Amino acid sequence: MTMQNKQKRMRVYFTGVGGQGTLTATTLLARTALEAGLDVVAGEVHGMAQRGGVVESVMLLGGWRSPKLDLGEADVMLGFEPLETLRGLPYLRQGGTVFSSSDALPPVGVSLGKAVYPDMAHIESSVRAIAGQCFFIPCRELGRQAGSVQSGNTVLLSAVCASGALPFGVDALEAAIKKFLPPKLQEVNLKALELGRQVLKG
């Protein structure tokens, strides 16, 4: 029996803001899964390349034909921005797992005073009402500590890998960073990976 046959099917949903690197993070995690010998389908659900637009993507593990995700189907949700985590909640199945940044990047409407950004307590309680497990992590702040705000995405990926929610761990992500990221980006992302691993320990 091959690993693919034994592999549990799993749907992972990613959501963030344009310019944040959500699709890059999706690609890195999909490559990590492929390197770990898993059957992977990944794709963009909905994307706005311009800065500030919503970007959604999906990674399906375990032998799916197309990267399609309906409401209430995601087993794991990775939110790279808290408001987008809240907006993406309908995709999560009841009892699913959520990893979200707790560092806000308010959309243009909020910056212009046309909309109000919900407070974190509201976002967290809404997520906890559906998720079986959820983790809110100051990704941008930890990315800054690692040397680049953008590496906060790696903090989030590392935390989900460290949690056991996916069928591969942090070591697989570390190997993928060393194999697929340009050498000049590796050091900061490996620091971010270590910070993400520590978040779950602490």
Side-chain angles (χ1 to χ4, degrees):
M1 186 181 266
T2 66
M3 190 168 183
Q4 274 90 340
N5 290 340
K6 287 190 292 187
Q7 187 191 329
K8 189 176 127 211
R9 291 178 121 203
M10 175 179 273
R11 292 176 273 218
V12 183
Y13 169 70
F14 302 75
T15 182
V17 174
Q20 249 196 311
T22 303
L23 296 179
T24 306
T26 305
T27 301
L28 180 60
L29 203 62
R31 284 175 159 178
T32 303
L34 277 171
E35 289 288 301
L38 302 174
D39 195 341
V40 183
V41 177
E44 200 171 322
V45 179
H46 166 166
M48 306 271 292
Q50 83 263 29
R51 214 162 267 280
V54 181
V55 177
E56 301 170 280
S57 54
V58 65
M59 179 178 80
L60 308 179
L61 302 175
W64 304 84
R65 291 213 175 127
S66 69
K68 184 173 172 293
L69 185 74
D70 288 324
L71 297 178
E73 287 189 343
D75 301 294
V76 177
M77 176 160 91
L78 298 183
F80 295 91
E81 200 285 332
L83 180 58
E84 299 315 325
T85 299
L86 181 65
R87 286 177 176 164
L89 212 46
Y91 283 103
L92 187 73
R93 68 170 173 78
Q94 189 72 38
T97 302
V98 173
F99 284 80
S100 174
S101 174
S102 57
D103 294 332
L105 271 175
V108 176
V110 171
S111 309
L112 296 175
K114 292 179 181 172
V116 177
Y117 197 98
D119 63 41
M120 275 306 296
H122 169 71
I123 292 174
E124 288 196 29
S125 64
S126 300
V127 171
R128 289 183 198 285
I130 292 178
Q133 267 194 311
C134 61
F135 302 89
F136 284 89
I137 299 164
C139 294
R140 287 173 66 79
E141 182 50 44
L142 290 171
R144 199 174 280 115
Q145 283 180 34
S148 150
V149 169
Q150 283 280 45
S151 72
N153 292 350
T154 300
V155 172
L156 197 66
L157 297 184
S158 177
V160 72
C161 289
S163 73
L166 300 177
F168 50 85
V170 179
D171 291 350
L173 179 62
E174 184 175 347
I177 286 171
K178 289 174 177 173
K179 183 168 182 177
F180 297 111
L181 290 191
K184 64 178 184 184
L185 295 180
Q186 288 185 19
E187 186 183 352
V188 68
N189 278 283
L190 290 171
K191 282 182 185 168
L193 174 136
E194 202 45 54
L195 290 170
R197 191 194 322 238
Q198 287 168 13
V199 160
L200 275 222
K201 285 183 182 169

